[in-house]
């Protein structure tokens, strides 16, 4: 029960951490969302967020992925990056993460950004349908899954969804690194397999 490590991690805005995973060798993966324009980055794929002039903070909440190596005498950030689409009005939220035995990080969340980063995607585009929030129209959310190497490089990223909103909430791997993620969908055309227990909404 003795405290062996503690640290702030954030900037001048607000951080919403959503998940944490450790590998037993001192590496800790933290994911969530931030509105901070000065969120701490290191070896980042994305170093900035679109700024809202009125507050000086990120225009919308942006995902973040941070890998910290915690050792008895010194702790360092292996990598830390914003993660989302570059459009200033897009909303990008990371909800869960997991690690494989080689230190690759897998994150899941939702976005309505047309230009969300893709790599070898199963679904390479956002379904451009419109949804309403408090009477304001927006692009609907699709889920996304992204995989990062142990040094923070992108090795896989895909949209996964259909017309209307998807909200994924958790992700895990089996022994062969097949990805399982779960959540909610409002779609009637969500992609299902031929042997699905429930093929229709």
């Amino acid at each position: 029960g003795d405290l062996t490590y503690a640290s702030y991690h954030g900037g001048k805005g607000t951080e919403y951490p959503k998940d944490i995973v450790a590998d037993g060798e001192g590496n800790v993966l933290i994911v969530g969302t931030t509105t901070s324009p000065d969120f701490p980055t290191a070896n980042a794929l994305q170093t900035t967020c679109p700024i809202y002039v009125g507050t000086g903070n990120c225009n919308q909440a942006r995902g973040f992925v941070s890998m910290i190596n915690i050792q008895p005498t010194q702790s360092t950030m292996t990598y830390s990056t914003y993660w989302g689409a570059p459009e200033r009005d897009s909303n990008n939220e990371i909800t869960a993460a997991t690690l494989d035995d080689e230190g690759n990080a897998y994150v899941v969340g939702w976005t309505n950004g047309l230009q969300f980063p893709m790599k070898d995607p199963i679904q390479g585009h956002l379904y451009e349908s419109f949804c309403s929030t408090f009477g304001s129209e927006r692009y609907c959310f699709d889920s996304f899954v992204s995989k990062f190497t142990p040094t923070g490089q992108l090795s896989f990223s895909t949209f996964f969804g259909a017309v209307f909103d998807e909200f994924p909430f958790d992700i895990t791997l089996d022994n062969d690194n097949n990805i399982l993620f779960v959540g909610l969908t409002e779609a009637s055309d969500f992609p299902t397999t031929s042997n699905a227990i429930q093929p229709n909404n």
Side-chain angles (χ1 to χ4, degrees):
D2 293 332
L3 182 65
T4 59
Y5 176 81
S7 178
Y8 290 104
H9 189 62
K12 73 173 191 176
T14 302
E15 278 70 46
Y16 302 94
K18 297 296 180 71
D19 206 359
I20 185 170
V21 191
D23 67 359
E25 297 180 1
N27 296 303
V28 178
L29 176 69
I30 306 165
V31 299
T33 59
T34 180
T35 64
S36 295
D38 56 347
F39 186 82
T41 60
N43 301 316
L45 295 174
Q46 297 179 344
T47 57
T48 60
C49 66
I51 302 299
Y52 177 60
V53 176
T55 63
N57 289 337
C58 300
N59 192 58
Q60 297 280 1
R62 313 295 293 179
F64 72 82
V65 181
S66 298
M67 182 74 82
I68 301 173
N69 182 260
I70 301 172
Q71 298 299 330
T73 58
Q74 184 178 11
S75 299
T76 58
M77 282 198 301
T78 306
Y79 63 86
S80 183
T81 188
Y82 293 97
W83 194 238
E87 300 100 304
R88 62 180 293 106
D89 291 327
S90 68
N91 194 295
N92 306 267
E93 303 219 11
I94 298 176
T95 54
T98 191
L99 289 168
D100 66 21
D101 291 339
E102 297 177 352
N104 298 295
Y106 304 73
V107 304
V108 68
W110 62 78
T111 182
N112 60 355
L114 295 173
Q115 300 175 45
F116 192 90
M118 295 282 102
K119 186 164 186 181
D120 300 325
I122 295 170
Q123 175 189 324
H125 65 280
L126 180 80
Y127 274 82
E128 295 179 49
S129 53
F130 288 94
C131 294
S132 178
T133 300
F134 303 116
S136 176
E137 271 202 343
R138 56 167 173 79
Y139 280 131
C140 299
F141 296 119
D142 275 358
S143 58
F144 66 82
V145 178
S146 299
K147 176 183 176 182
F148 300 87
T149 70
T151 59
Q153 300 303 301
L154 185 64
S155 62
F156 172 74
S157 188
T158 188
F159 291 107
F160 196 80
V163 176
F164 303 129
D165 286 328
E166 278 78 41
F167 298 104
F169 292 113
D170 208 354
I171 186 170
T172 190
L173 305 172
D174 68 10
N175 291 334
D176 296 319
N177 289 343
N178 294 304
I179 301 168
L180 171 68
F181 63 100
V182 297
L184 304 175
T185 182
E186 298 173 341
S188 59
D189 58 342
F190 189 79
T192 60
T193 54
S194 60
N195 59 346
I197 295 171
Q198 183 181 342
N200 300 309
N201 187 350

